[in-house]
Structure formats: C-alpha cells, structure tokens
Amino acid sequence: MAKATLYKHFPRKDALVLAYLDRVDQTWFGQLRAAARDAGDDPRAQLVGMFDALDSAARREGYHGCAFINTAAESTTGSDVHARTVEHKRVVRAWVTDLARRAEATDPDLLARQLTMLIDGGLAIGVLDADPAASHAAKAAAQALVDASCPR
C-alpha cells in the first residue's frame, strides 16, 4: 500500500492502531471461542478447552505477545487506544464469566478473573520462551481452578 493511500484511510496513527486492534480482536477472540467450542458442550470443559488457543497463538510466526497488553503498555491512559485495549479485556472476561456461570462456579467473577489472568500470563510467557509446555501448564492450572470452583 502506498503511503498516500495509507494516510487516506488512517489519517492518525491512533486510527491505524485501532483498526489493527479490531482485526486482532476478531482473530484472537474467535480462536478462544473456537477452542472452547471444540472442547464440547460442557461449560466446565469449555473453560479449560479455551486454553488450547494459547498453544497455537504462541507458535504463530512473528508472535510478539498479546497485542492488547503490548498496546496498553505503550498508550496513554484515557486515550482511545488505551480504552480499546481495556474494552477487549473486559469483553473477554465477560464471556469467560458467562461460561463460569453456566458451569455453576461458586464465584463466577473470581473464576473468570483467575482464568483470564492465566490466559494473559500464557500469552506473555509465549514471547519469553516459546515453550509449548507453558500453554500446557496454563491449561493444567485452569483445570485445577475449574475443578475447585465448579462442584459437580
């Protein structure tokens, strides 16, 4: 794309960053939901199954971690870009909270916060060492949290 065309579509750097985050959001959130669906119909299994998306994310060529965490670290609090990163994390946590409710977690909000922290940690460690064992460890921790939080 020529520079003039780029500036025509994205007159400000923030507009380009927001468009990029929208694309990443569609892809990453789609991968999380697909991994959960692939785990079956049981919400408990879906809460653990979504961690399979970590494995494929960290193995992707050119992977540099969570675009939302990276962007939040480099953006000004209160800016449109920072707000977009916060919104993404809020939407993901709301979706996980809904799964936790359907799994009959004793405290769905707490379980969702714990699981999304594990996801974010798994995304970060994928950059540091790209060791597939990290995503497996995150999934095992998720299973322990779900087992402790969702009595059968």
Side-chain angles (χ1 to χ4, degrees):
M1 176 182 301
K3 202 181 244 189
T5 304
L6 180 68
Y7 286 124
K8 178 182 174 191
H9 292 290
F10 305 105
R12 297 180 1 257
K13 179 182 172 186
D14 284 0
L16 178 61
V17 172
L18 289 168
Y20 169 74
L21 291 175
D22 286 344
R23 174 60 79 84
V24 171
D25 181 43
Q26 290 173 351
T27 301
W28 171 241
F29 199 19
Q31 289 170 340
L32 273 178
R33 290 187 305 244
R37 275 192 310 272
D38 289 348
D41 293 332
D42 179 11
R44 289 172 52 104
Q46 291 177 352
L47 287 167
V48 176
M50 70 180 170
F51 281 80
D52 290 337
L54 279 178
D55 195 38
S56 59
R59 291 181 185 204
R60 195 177 69 242
E61 182 68 31
Y63 177 73
H64 296 291
C66 176
F68 294 92
I69 293 171
N70 294 343
T71 301
E74 295 183 22
S75 62
T76 304
T77 301
S79 68
D80 289 344
V81 170
H82 192 268
R84 180 65 179 92
T85 64
V86 171
E87 176 65 9
H88 165 79
K89 294 299 181 179
R90 187 196 65 72
V91 168
V92 170
R93 191 165 57 237
W95 172 73
V96 175
T97 301
D98 181 58
L99 275 179
R101 276 192 192 98
R102 291 192 284 127
E104 300 179 359
T106 53
D107 187 342
D109 294 323
L110 176 61
L111 179 58
R113 184 168 296 277
Q114 292 168 330
L115 293 176
T116 55
M117 287 173 62
L118 268 177
I119 289 169
D120 288 343
L123 290 168
I125 200 72
V127 159
L128 297 174
D129 61 16
D131 182 355
S135 62
H136 299 288
K139 186 174 181 178
Q143 184 69 64
L145 286 167
V146 169
D147 288 346
S149 301
C150 304
R152 292 207 181 257

